[in-house]
Amino acid sequence: MHSRTTAELVLHLGRIASSEGLTAAQWAVLRYFARANRFSRTPSAFAAVHGTTRGTASQTIKNLQTQGYLTSERSQVDKRSIQLILTDKARAVLENDLFESLVRAVDGLPTGIHADFSNTLQRILGHVARESGKPHFGTCASCKYLEGEGCSPEAQTPYTCSFAKEPLNVEELSEVCINFVQKKTMMARGFIT
């Protein structure tokens, strides 16, 4: 298969997995805030991850707030900034998101193929992000800033983000983070160039 055909398949997957009812930009906002960790639930983090301007991101976010999909609250860490939170209305809409069909298709892949596919997409994303000057994003579970073994005899939080110098709960490990930097072990295996 030619490289162009493969790239077109990736783009086509994105198009057919787009749900109806909201614009593509609005779906991107809702999906992002559904997966963003507490350090990344800001308009500027969304704009950075999605390679858009803060003004464009703010317009879409304000529209979703007006429609009752998002609420905002002051950050507990930095009282000057706000964090955006999905409402129950947004969570209900996301339950019927066609994107979940794509998630189920990936879940249906055999384990080895799934891991190779994920690593390959990470490599492609890293390459495109570097060429375009856009940030590469990922989850705490594969980030170089994740510290901890996953167990703690003191029953305290078993993980820490060394970038934010904050404890992390197990649930936060699968959330998207704006401060993400790929672990070097992935680079050493040739998945990230």
Side-chain angles (χ1 to χ4, degrees):
M1 186 177 291
H2 296 293
S3 299
R4 182 166 300 281
T5 303
T6 303
E8 287 171 350
L9 287 171
V10 171
L11 283 177
H12 186 64
L13 269 174
R15 281 194 298 271
I16 65 171
S18 294
S19 297
E20 297 176 8
L22 296 171
T23 67
Q26 290 171 327
W27 278 112
V29 169
L30 293 183
R31 290 172 183 151
Y32 173 80
F33 286 107
R35 298 253 356 258
N37 69 13
R38 60 190 147 117
F39 311 115
S40 308
R41 292 183 190 132
T42 65
S44 60
F46 169 80
V49 168
H50 284 275
T52 188
T53 65
R54 288 184 184 184
T56 299
S58 291
Q59 283 182 325
T60 305
I61 288 167
K62 283 180 185 175
N63 186 281
L64 288 169
Q65 286 178 301
T66 300
Q67 293 181 55
Y69 290 105
L70 290 170
T71 61
S72 61
E73 61 183 43
R74 288 273 165 216
S75 168
Q76 298 299 316
V77 178
D78 177 4
K79 300 292 184 191
R80 297 170 296 161
S81 66
I82 62 158
Q83 286 199 332
L84 293 160
I85 312 295
L86 293 176
T87 63
D88 290 340
K89 179 180 179 179
R91 293 189 189 288
V93 166
L94 285 166
E95 286 180 14
N96 298 313
D97 185 358
L98 287 176
F99 178 76
E100 293 307 314
S101 176
L102 181 57
V103 172
R104 287 188 296 277
V106 173
D107 278 344
L109 295 172
T111 305
I113 292 173
H114 183 179
D116 288 345
F117 184 61
S118 181
N119 289 327
T120 300
L121 288 176
Q122 282 282 2
R123 182 177 180 182
I124 292 168
L125 179 59
H127 178 84
V128 172
R130 278 190 305 280
E131 276 195 7
S132 65
K134 298 203 162 107
H136 182 65
F137 69 94
T139 62
C140 295
S142 58
C143 182
K144 81 171 195 174
Y145 296 121
L146 179 65
E147 294 180 351
E149 300 291 321
C151 58
S152 175
E154 298 86 28
Q156 296 175 347
T157 308
Y159 298 101
T160 303
C161 172
S162 64
F163 181 88
K165 297 180 180 28
E166 290 278 334
L168 296 171
N169 296 318
V170 173
E171 300 81 34
E172 292 179 293
L173 299 184
S174 62
E175 295 177 335
V176 173
C177 185
I178 189 65
N179 303 316
F180 172 81
V181 175
Q182 185 71 49
K183 282 183 185 175
K184 292 197 184 283
T185 54
M186 294 287 286
M187 290 182 207
R189 291 178 60 195
F191 295 124
I192 304 296
T193 58

